[in-house]
Amino acid sequence: GLPLPGMAVRIDNPEADGTGVIATRGAQLFAGYERHGRLERPHPGDAWFATGDRGRLVDGGLIVIGRRDDVIVSGGEKIDPAEVEEALLAHPAIGEAAVCGLPDSEWGQVVAAALVSRSVDRPSDADLAEWVQQRLSAWKRPRRWTWMAHLPRLANGKLRRALLAPLFTAEEH
């Protein structure tokens, strides 16, 4: 969408496709804490604030991609979890998908997926591997996955991505 009136938005450290870290400044930013009748500012009022989100500017509008710390880096390649989740969700048997990076001594991280089936019938490991092979580049494909009854979420429905990695066992898929 478009920035609110009085807000400025820029993209810091843009990559070749224009995606980078979203930074904002303007009157709507948090001014600071009041302590003993004085305002303590966390940053200067005219400073740019790095949001921690990734995005890009297109025709004056901002497209938010996701959190910067959710990006998976495998073999030097940056992988957006949302792209992998979208490919998995296109499978007719997958009702929910959440992707995270798992530590790997060779690649730095590997892609792992927590999946919720739409029904009691779920695809075999071989069928799922074939599905992602047809839709994702090799470095974006989940190397591991686990099936769950539901994904870990906050009360407001937001995914608790930080709780995903501990769900995986040593078994390789």
Side-chain angles (χ1 to χ4, degrees):
L2 297 174
L4 295 171
M7 289 296 291
V9 177
R10 74 177 188 198
I11 301 298
D12 290 341
N13 305 316
E15 298 174 12
D17 67 354
T19 300
V21 178
I22 300 169
T24 63
R25 73 175 175 189
Q28 289 91 339
L29 287 181
F30 176 64
Y33 299 96
E34 183 183 341
R35 295 208 178 144
H36 309 292
R38 281 188 34 224
L39 182 65
E40 294 183 13
R41 292 183 170 273
H43 54 80
D46 62 346
W48 287 93
F49 174 72
T51 66
D53 292 316
R54 295 176 57 246
R56 64 178 161 269
L57 295 171
V58 177
D59 298 328
L62 176 65
I63 298 173
V64 179
I65 308 292
R67 296 289 300 163
R68 180 175 68 176
D69 51 1
D70 289 343
V71 172
I72 301 164
V73 181
S74 184
E77 298 287 348
K78 292 182 181 178
I79 303 161
D80 179 9
E83 180 182 355
V84 179
E85 290 164 357
E86 183 179 328
L88 290 165
L89 288 170
H91 193 288
I94 297 176
E96 291 184 88
V99 172
C100 69
L102 297 179
D104 184 81
S105 60
E106 183 177 358
W107 299 103
Q109 288 182 301
V110 293
V111 179
L115 306 169
V116 176
S117 179
R118 288 190 190 274
S119 68
V120 293
D121 295 327
R122 55 186 196 212
S124 69
D125 288 350
D127 289 343
L128 188 55
E130 183 179 337
W131 177 267
V132 296
Q133 182 179 6
Q134 294 172 3
R135 286 158 181 80
L136 294 169
S137 301
W139 66 89
K140 295 179 184 179
R141 295 178 199 148
R143 304 269 180 105
R144 310 241 325 258
W145 53 78
T146 188
W147 292 94
M148 308 176 64
H150 56 82
L151 297 178
R153 296 189 182 277
L154 295 170
N156 65 3
K158 184 176 178 181
L159 178 67
R160 295 182 69 186
R161 199 175 296 276
L163 297 181
L164 294 177
L167 300 173
F168 292 88
T169 64
E171 183 182 346
E172 193 72 31
H173 289 290

